[in-house]
Amino acid sequence: GTLVVLRTKFDVEEWQRSLREGTSFSVLNHASLPSTERKRSKTQLKCAGFDVVLTTYDALKAREKATAVDDRGRAVMKDGTQDGWYSSRSGGENSQPQKCETISTLHGMKWHRAVFVDLLGRVGYIAKKGTARSTAAIALRARTRFIFF
């Protein structure tokens, strides 16, 4: 599916209205879900049933679930052969513990495309390296990424 990350809930509502009126895509407004519902593991299954999932940067940076991340800060996905367990590292002399971050349940999904809508300049969310919003955006697993300013 497609994940579209927007700046505000008002933007999400506008995109939702436009997509429903102008396309045949099924659309989920993830940002409007209560935080208790967003934390549930069933939310991933719910999101997978929609063509487009709309959310905000603030919902994306929500600390909902501890997840292993790689050196680039992207969520590590289980490959299905481990029966729910992550494989251990080599255990060699220079072995480092697996880095984990507490991130959104949306990071547990592999997206076909992720679309980020932001502003240029000092007011931009993802242009500021190291902020919670930019870290959450980087951590998403997506085949393709688009950024619109």
Side-chain angles (χ1 to χ4, degrees), residues 124-138:
Y125 286 162
I126 58 176
K128 297 175 187 171
K129 186 177 179 181
T131 63
R133 291 176 179 126
S134 67
T135 302
I138 290 168

Side-chain angles (χ1 to χ4, degrees), residues 8 21 24 29-30 53 62 64 78-79 90 103 112 118 133:
T8 66
E21 290 173 1
S24 61
N29 182 343
H30 174 265
V53 176
E64 299 168 342
K78 291 183 264 183
D79 65 10
S90 64
I103 51 182
H112 180 68
D118 200 5
R133 291 176 179 126

Side-chain angles (χ1 to χ4, degrees), residues 29-41:
N29 182 343
H30 174 265
S32 69
L33 298 174
S35 63
T36 54
E37 187 174 339
R38 286 197 313 250
K39 291 179 184 180
R40 295 184 185 144
S41 58

Side-chain angles (χ1 to χ4, degrees), residues 25-89:
F25 295 137
S26 57
V27 180
L28 173 66
N29 182 343
H30 174 265
S32 69
L33 298 174
S35 63
T36 54
E37 187 174 339
R38 286 197 313 250
K39 291 179 184 180
R40 295 184 185 144
S41 58
K42 291 181 181 181
T43 302
Q44 292 177 347
L45 293 172
K46 187 174 189 174
C47 290
F50 288 86
D51 296 320
V52 179
V53 176
L54 303 172
T55 194
T56 63
Y57 286 98
D58 288 335
L60 187 63
K61 73 173 183 146
R63 299 185 177 278
E64 299 168 342
K65 171 180 158 181
T67 304
V69 294
D70 62 16
D71 294 336
R72 296 180 354 194
R74 293 201 177 147
V76 175
M77 306 291 287
K78 291 183 264 183
D79 65 10
T81 61
Q82 300 154 336
D83 298 326
W85 293 92
Y86 290 100
S87 62
S88 67
R89 297 192 173 207

Side-chain angles (χ1 to χ4, degrees), residues 90-111:
S90 64
E93 188 175 304
N94 295 327
S95 179
Q96 297 292 322
Q98 178 69 54
K99 183 179 177 186
C100 288
E101 295 283 339
T102 306
I103 51 182
S104 167
T105 54
L106 294 174
H107 292 89
M109 299 180 65
K110 195 165 190 176
W111 299 94

